[in-house]
Amino acid sequence: MTDTEVIELPGVTEETWHEVAWERGWGDGLPTVPPTPARVAAALTALEGIDLELGPVPPSGLVPTRESFAANAVMAGCRPADLPVVLAAVRAMLAPEYNLHGVLATTHPCAPLVVVGGPVRTAVGLNSGGNCFGQGTRANAVIGRAVQLVTTHIGGARPGSMDRSTQGTPAKYSWCFGENEEESPFEPFSVRRGFAPGESMVTVAACEGPHNINDHGSTTGLGLLMTIAGTMTDAGSNNVYVKGPHFLVLGPEHAATLHRDGWTVDAIRDWLWERARMPVSQFSEENRRQFEDWGVKPDGDMYTVSTGPEMLHVLVAGGAGKHSAWIPSFGATAAVSRPVPVAR
């Protein structure tokens, strides 16, 4: 890592900081916390003994220093305890298969979805229950925001220059939640991703915002899956032709019904792979020709959602209520998981 340049701003106060930051192109439009040397130093205490080496961040190719990484977390409102989670998420984004350059430059409305599992959820106060996708919890908001600020300030993905999203998404402010392991009837997502029970981890993928699945009527697991399959058959989704990962986030009540009726995660994925398909006739001739040019062919007279059941990641999050969510992705990305480092 190279040295960090410390910029002095004489006369800038807490009250005037936001205007100065805005004029310099810093931040996401919302007020940020001034990253003073004292605040940055305090934040770095959480990373003592942790290897903070990070590779170049596309598209700029800049390599973050400890101080620049911490400064972005401070600006987002992170506490020192939040930094290891942010670090794990950034490491996941820098994996080649995540395709950071591509997801930052696309016109698609994707943002880094950060799913957190393990005991760190409790340690930082992450919301895994009711309204976990929404406002009201500091850890969810600041961790997701810090990841975005790293890509903006260090990666250079500013809207209108590198970030070319046609309409964007509110998820670009922050898109972070925890798995509701306590109310999930299934093996934790982290364990299914290869981590040890009780180990904290982060999974990141470039995704759209959540698509609600409202089913208050079905009383069987099969009935719920029919509704879920209908939600996933979205002709405008990138997962139809670019393929890639996508997520099914079950609310605890829907998950309990599926589990009661004997549905395992693998069975859910297999059933949805076979049933969540779209007739070729639903697509315009122009789109069908373009799909053919790109090597995307239907399975018989149906288009599939992604390339196989293993591309659908199933987990439980949220609180009371008969709602779940399907989260499509940019497609040309991967769901990448990394452990949350522990200070020695």
Side-chain angles (χ1 to χ4, degrees):
M1 290 187 179
T2 58
D3 293 334
T4 299
E5 178 186 2
V6 178
I7 300 176
E8 296 185 4
L9 301 172
V12 175
T13 65
E14 294 277 343
E15 290 71 25
T16 60
W17 157 256
H18 179 56
E19 289 300 323
V20 172
W22 175 253
E23 291 170 359
R24 289 175 171 264
W26 299 338
D28 53 14
L30 294 173
T32 55
V33 177
T36 62
R39 286 181 175 136
V40 170
L44 284 171
T45 60
L47 298 176
E48 291 179 358
I50 292 176
D51 177 12
L52 192 51
E53 289 297 322
L54 293 168
V57 180
S60 71
L62 293 177
V63 177
T65 64
R66 296 178 68 87
E67 291 78 13
S68 65
F69 172 82
N72 279 279
V74 168
M75 289 180 72
C78 287
R79 304 153 295 177
D82 300 321
L83 265 69
V85 184
V86 178
L87 177 60
V90 172
R91 281 178 170 163
M93 285 199 308
L94 292 180
E97 60 269 30
Y98 181 85
N99 185 22
L100 183 57
H101 194 154
V103 303
L104 292 178
T106 181
T107 54
H108 182 267
C110 59
L113 166 68
V114 181
V115 182
V116 184
V120 74
R121 296 170 302 123
T122 302
V124 300
L126 202 76
N127 184 9
S128 305
N131 204 47
C132 62
F133 296 165
Q135 84 289 8
T137 304
R138 179 175 180 175
N140 297 52
V142 301
I143 290 171
R145 189 186 188 194
V147 172
Q148 277 288 121
L149 290 183
V150 167
T151 64
T152 300
H153 296 146
I154 300 176
R158 288 179 171 81
S161 55
M162 175 53 65
D163 184 339
R164 308 298 293 181
S165 183
T166 302
Q167 294 175 317
T169 170
K172 284 180 177 285
Y173 282 107
S174 179
W175 195 190
C176 173
F177 66 94
E179 179 185 10
N180 190 342
E181 297 176 7
E182 292 71 24
E183 294 188 83
S184 174
F186 308 117
E187 186 177 47
F189 183 56
S190 57
V191 174
R192 286 183 275 126
R193 294 291 289 174
F195 294 85
E199 185 177 9
S200 294
M201 71 94 189
V202 166
T203 297
V204 179
C207 292
E208 299 177 19
H211 293 221
N212 183 54
I213 303 170
N214 175 6
D215 192 333
H216 284 69
S218 296
T219 58
T220 65
L222 180 59
L224 288 174
L225 289 175
M226 292 176 67
T227 304
I228 294 167
T231 305
M232 290 170 55
T233 52
D234 180 352
S237 163
N238 274 26
N239 291 120
V240 176
Y241 69 100
V242 188
K243 306 304 183 182
H246 51 132
F247 290 76
L248 173 60
V249 181
L250 295 166
E253 292 186 35
H254 283 172
T257 298
L258 286 159
H259 183 260
R260 181 204 66 197
D261 287 359
W263 289 93
T264 64
V265 167
D266 284 345
I268 290 169
R269 299 199 306 181
D270 289 343
W271 194 93
L272 290 172
W273 165 247
E274 294 295 337
R275 304 308 197 284
R277 300 188 174 198
M278 287 153 284
V280 170
S281 60
Q282 289 186 0
F283 295 81
S284 69
E285 290 185 12
E286 299 94 325
N287 268 325
R288 295 201 297 268
R289 286 197 298 269
Q290 187 174 66
F291 291 172
E292 185 72 22
D293 290 343
W294 291 339
V296 177
K297 298 181 180 180
D299 184 358
D301 62 350
M302 306 286 278
Y303 284 110
T304 64
V305 179
S306 199
T307 54
E310 72 284 353
M311 299 305 290
L312 177 61
H313 301 285
V314 180
L315 61 145
V316 176
K322 295 188 176 183
H323 294 267
S324 293
W326 177 57
I327 305 174
S329 77
F330 170 49
T333 185
V336 181
S337 300
R338 291 290 184 268
V340 176
V342 179
R344 295 186 293 274

